[in-house]
Amino acid sequence: MQNSAYLDEARDPLLIAEDWMKNGKDVAIATVVETWGSAPRQAGSHLVIDAEGNFHGSVSGGCVEGAVVAEALDVIGSGKARMLEFGVADETAWQVGLSCGGRIKVYVERLG
């Protein structure tokens, strides 16, 4: 039987990002920095993305994560960090799946 701390480490997005970087991958990290109202993930939640579009972790779920992955690929290419906002007040909120009534702010930056 495996110890539960090991299982947590195996799923930790920050440790996965570190491993990917050690293996020569270009990596970005998306971090929930603010939430308002009902939000699927709390501030501090992470999603790591590599240049091939592989990702691990979560900042929201649904189509929001697809939009964050797409932005992260641009961040990896340009090296320029971005602040993203998703919420029902946005015209795009329903398109990207944040219909919970809240808003989230996600900071995306390249690591390394």
Side-chain angles (χ1 to χ4, degrees):
M1 178 174 175
Q2 293 182 345
N3 141 350
S4 63
Y6 174 79
L7 293 175
D8 288 343
E9 287 179 14
R11 294 186 305 241
D12 185 329
L14 299 177
L15 294 175
I16 288 171
E18 181 180 39
D19 186 55
W20 286 354
M21 290 174 64
K22 283 179 184 175
N23 287 309
K25 293 184 177 188
D26 292 325
V27 178
I29 187 164
T31 305
V32 176
V33 293
E34 283 185 71
T35 65
W36 298 269
S38 176
R41 300 282 186 264
Q42 19 179 318
S45 297
H46 298 292
L47 177 69
V48 295
I49 306 96
D50 73 10
E52 296 172 4
N54 298 306
F55 60 92
H56 186 83
S58 181
V59 291
S60 177
C63 297
V64 167
E65 290 195 341
V68 172
V69 169
E71 292 285 341
L73 294 174
D74 288 343
V75 167
I76 289 170
S78 71
K80 294 180 182 176
R82 295 187 186 162
M83 185 70 73
L84 310 174
E85 273 192 63
F86 301 95
V88 293
D90 254 343
E91 288 180 9
T92 59
W94 294 99
Q95 294 172 3
V96 297
L98 190 64
S99 58
C100 57
R103 290 187 299 148
I104 61 171
K105 196 179 270 190
V106 179
Y107 185 69
V108 183
E109 63 186 316
R110 182 180 171 136
L111 297 177

